[in-house]
Amino acid sequence: VQRLLNRCQLDLELRLAAGVKGLERMITEWAINRPALALAGFTDHFDHHRIQVFGSNEIAFLESLTERKRMTALSRILDAEPPCIIVSTDRTPSIKLLAEADKRQIPLLLSSLNSSALTAKLVETLMDEFAPRLTAHGALVHVFGLGVLISGKSGVGKSECSLELIARGHRLVADDIVIIRRRQPGMLMGAGSEVVRHHMEIQGAGIVDIMSLYGVGAVMDETQINVHIQLEAWRQDMEFDRVGMEDRFTRILGILVPEYILPVEPGRNLSIIVETVVLNQMMKNQGINTAARFNERLIRRMAPVQSPYFSSLPSSHSSPPRKPDSST
């Protein structure tokens, strides 16, 4: 709860009203609960392990009860020991509720946001916090509006390719360490480590600050991952896709991402190739497959063309025409 308060105090306009000794309570899932039914007495499906949000309806309901019934209703919530309680719309809770929260060491937070805005922002923050994540070795660059994850063995040229893309007007998200999170529904977000954010290691030059060198427009804090490019050192025995008829995908945190394997050898301009790959993927996203169209044109070109003149001539192997039957 302390971590939530530190992270969202300004965004959610939170302030601690009671239960300071319970700030170490653990929040175990991203979903929240509105305890209206539990306050009314129906607790069969009460999600007590979630954050409890008291809106205007819950506070108005409590204020309509007698003191005894109010304490009975609150006891149904407090006895379950939720991780914390948040009161929205800047409503002032009763002195009894504040005292009970302090007594039971349950943090009680106040927010000036209305229930809808508070719920939306709180769920978004918790979903991001609880999202499955992994750390990948590579570079993440924002190219033509798509997030491109560039990976490969050490020394293959990931940072050099990213640096050239930045020089061509694209934006760096992360270098060397990419933190990938899976957001709902089916979205991969990538960001850099806070320690090395907006920095890049160039072999022979050391660590450089991209923001200082190229300006704030050359960096981003995070982006969605739309394309994965694997850089492979060129080998004589390795086969690479030369036509692009079959789409290739890789699975990251259970989500399929379009993948391209690019050979690396002296003389190849990888930044331009990456730009071309991204533009081609953007066309595929719009339903335009260049390789499939080329294949269709090639098939039509290879199909035999029969001339109307030659089709009117009799074939040398055809049987003579039959004479008409005299009976008819």
Side-chain angles (χ1 to χ4, degrees), residues 323-328:
K323 294 182 179 181
D325 191 350
S326 57
S327 61
T328 60

Side-chain angles (χ1 to χ4, degrees), residues 135-147:
T135 301
H137 176 65
L140 183 58
V141 188
H142 193 258
V143 181
F144 294 136
L146 298 185

Side-chain angles (χ1 to χ4, degrees), residues 217-228:
V219 296
M220 291 181 66
D221 289 338
E222 69 173 0
T223 185
Q224 183 178 352
I225 298 176
N226 307 105
V227 181
H228 175 235

Side-chain angles (χ1 to χ4, degrees), residues 35-305:
L37 290 176
L39 290 172
F42 184 76
T43 58
D44 289 353
H45 302 283
F46 177 42
D47 295 314
H48 60 87
H49 52 282
R50 298 178 179 176
I51 295 177
Q52 307 299 313
V53 176
F54 282 48
S56 298
N57 292 336
E58 285 82 2
I59 296 298
F61 173 74
L62 290 174
E63 291 175 349
S64 68
L65 301 177
T66 62
E67 185 67 23
R68 180 179 177 182
K69 290 184 178 180
R70 185 184 304 123
M71 291 309 302
T72 302
L74 288 174
S75 295
R76 299 190 188 103
I77 307 299
L78 299 175
D79 289 345
E81 295 192 352
C84 71
I85 297 174
I86 302 179
V87 180
S88 67
T89 325
D90 216 11
R91 295 296 297 268
T92 303
S94 64
I95 298 178
K96 286 286 187 181
L97 178 56
L98 295 173
E100 285 294 322
D102 267 329
K103 178 182 177 182
R104 300 169 185 258
Q105 298 182 7
I106 299 176
L108 194 149
L109 310 176
L110 305 181
S111 174
S112 58
L113 299 179
N114 60 48
S115 300
S116 299
L118 173 65
T119 300
K121 290 186 177 182
L122 182 58
V123 169
E124 181 181 1
T125 300
L126 293 175
M127 285 181 64
D128 181 69
E129 189 70 28
F130 284 95
R133 64 189 64 204
L134 61 82
T135 301
H137 176 65
L140 183 58
V141 188
H142 193 258
V143 181
F144 294 136
L146 298 185
V148 182
L149 177 63
I150 304 174
S151 61
K153 293 183 178 180
S154 180
V156 76
K158 300 182 296 296
S159 297
E160 290 79 1
C161 177
S162 301
L163 184 61
E164 191 168 357
L165 287 169
I166 295 167
R168 293 175 62 86
H170 305 293
R171 309 177 73 179
L172 173 71
V173 181
D175 180 66
D176 194 38
I177 299 176
V178 182
I179 301 174
I180 304 174
R181 303 186 311 280
R182 186 186 69 197
R183 286 185 178 176
Q184 302 294 334
M187 179 187 297
L188 289 177
M189 300 299 296
S193 170
E194 294 184 2
V195 178
V196 295
R197 181 172 294 174
H198 305 158
H199 289 72
M200 178 179 290
E201 178 191 357
I202 305 298
Q203 293 186 2
I207 298 176
V208 297
D209 186 347
I210 298 300
M211 181 184 291
S212 299
L213 293 178
Y214 293 92
V216 69
V219 296
M220 291 181 66
D221 289 338
E222 69 173 0
T223 185
Q224 183 178 352
I225 298 176
N226 307 105
V227 181
H228 175 235
I229 293 180
Q230 177 79 19
L231 300 182
E232 294 281 353
W234 172 265
R235 298 199 312 268
Q236 196 69 27
D237 59 340
M238 182 175 290
E239 294 184 1
F240 296 94
D241 191 0
R242 302 179 65 91
V243 180
M245 284 296 299
E246 296 184 1
D247 294 334
R248 183 186 181 96
F249 295 88
T250 185
R251 191 176 295 273
I252 303 176
L253 291 175
I255 298 177
L256 292 177
V257 179
E259 182 181 55
Y260 297 84
I261 299 179
L262 301 183
V264 178
E265 59 178 337
R268 301 199 79 192
N269 193 324
L270 286 178
S271 62
I272 295 180
I273 296 176
V274 169
E275 288 181 339
T276 305
V277 166
V278 171
L279 292 174
N280 188 52
Q281 183 61 42
M282 293 172 66
M283 294 181 64
K284 288 184 178 180
N285 294 343
Q286 297 295 325
I288 303 173
N289 192 319
T290 304
R293 288 188 172 187
F294 175 78
N295 187 54
E296 292 175 0
R297 290 200 304 269
L298 188 62
I299 291 176
R300 289 197 300 267
R301 191 70 175 267
M302 294 171 61
V305 179

